[in-house]
Amino acid sequence: MPLAPMGCAVQFHVKPDRRKTWSEHSMDGWYLKTSDEHYRCHIVFVKKTQAKRVTDTVFFKHKYITQPEIKPAD
């Protein structure tokens, strides 16, 4: 069940136990696929460490995938 095209630029949340207190809360990477082994998780390729990581919070930076937004008419 692919959610986005492979290689799409993403930012993903880094959990508090994997980062220092005042470090950034997200990292840049590329989307690889939806995880088959973990519920509601994604596999991303991390730009900084050059490794794969499983994450559950992803922000897609793709110009054709829209982010939901609340409008006054809602």
Side-chain angles (χ1 to χ4, degrees):
M1 172 177 107
L3 186 63
M6 185 176 174
C8 177
V10 296
Q11 277 193 328
F12 62 94
H13 183 254
V14 180
K15 301 291 181 194
D17 60 337
R18 296 200 63 155
R19 62 178 154 85
K20 295 184 179 179
T21 305
W22 293 100
S23 65
E24 296 179 353
H25 292 206
S26 68
M27 294 181 77
D28 292 327
W30 293 280
Y31 182 81
L32 294 178
K33 65 178 188 170
T34 304
S35 177
D36 297 329
E37 300 170 0
H38 304 283
Y39 183 67
R40 292 185 180 176
C41 291
H42 311 278
I43 299 174
V44 296
F45 186 79
V46 184
K47 190 182 216 180
K48 185 176 181 180
T49 62
Q50 300 290 309
K52 294 179 189 175
R53 186 178 294 182
V54 177
T55 184
D56 62 347
T57 308
V58 178
F59 175 75
F60 295 98
K61 299 192 294 184
H62 194 273
K63 62 182 177 180
Y64 299 114
I65 299 174
T66 59
Q67 296 294 327
E69 58 185 46
I70 298 174
K71 298 181 182 176
D74 293 339

